Amino acid sequence: MKAVLASHNKKKMAEMRTILAEVGVEILSQADVGVDIEPEETGTTFEENARIKAEAIMKATGLPAIADDSGLVVDALGGAPGVYSARYGGEGLDDTGRWQLLLKNMEGKTDRACRFVSVICCAFPDGTEIVSRGKCEGMVADGPTGEGGFGYDPVFWLPEMGKSMAELTAEEKNGISHRGNALREFKKEWEKKQNGTDQ
């Protein structure tokens, strides 16, 4: 089955294509189907934003649409940046600027616990949907390490692995990341739906 990804993020597209190919889902980009939509993310939860994006693309294309809304939740910052992770500090900042702002806001804080959260929603033309959630626990690092990944990966420390998310190989990241965990849950729900056992 084909589904359109409601994102222009090429690295996110690569992660999703790799994992969902295992259950026979061919992920198309918006460019593949001739649309270019950036729905306004007005939700206050990851679930709401994922649903907004998936439904907008599904209605525009008539195909199942998959959207992911994800972000970094930091305990010492009251859950920030949370759903605003991609817009943390305003539209003028790039990935590096956002994690630099995060480190500045964490100065003097001893509680470094944080987690990446990902919610995936697939909206189908028949009005049904699949929603899955995944997370990955870690710590806010004192400084960046690693060249891989994107977003906050360089400052997301994984104590049990002794390295940052940006130091993982693609295979390692897919194995433990919030999006990988959400996608594995999504795969289970997708298989139930295809087998007619989702009742």
Side-chain angles (χ1 to χ4, degrees), residues 12 41 43 46 49 68-74 77 79-91 93-102 114-118 150-153 156 178-179:
K12 188 180 287 189
E41 297 177 30
F46 295 116
N49 282 334
D68 149 272
D69 197 56
S70 53
L72 180 66
V73 176
V74 180
L77 299 178
V83 295
Y84 305 106
S85 292
R87 306 185 291 282
Y88 193 48
E91 297 293 340
L93 295 182
D94 59 6
D95 281 356
T96 301
R98 281 186 282 275
W99 61 247
Q100 286 175 338
L101 174 62
L102 174 71
C114 64
R115 66 211 48 83
F116 275 129
V117 175
S118 171
F150 56 94
Y152 298 91
D153 287 359
F156 188 88
H178 53 308
R179 190 168 297 109

Side-chain angles (χ1 to χ4, degrees), residues 37-76:
I37 299 171
E38 287 276 5
E40 189 176 353
E41 297 177 30
T42 55
T44 57
T45 66
F46 295 116
E47 282 83 0
E48 287 174 1
N49 282 334
R51 184 173 290 113
I52 287 167
K53 291 185 280 189
E55 288 184 348
I57 303 301
M58 179 272 292
K59 287 172 182 171
T61 63
L63 293 167
I66 297 175
D68 149 272
D69 197 56
S70 53
L72 180 66
V73 176
V74 180
D75 291 350

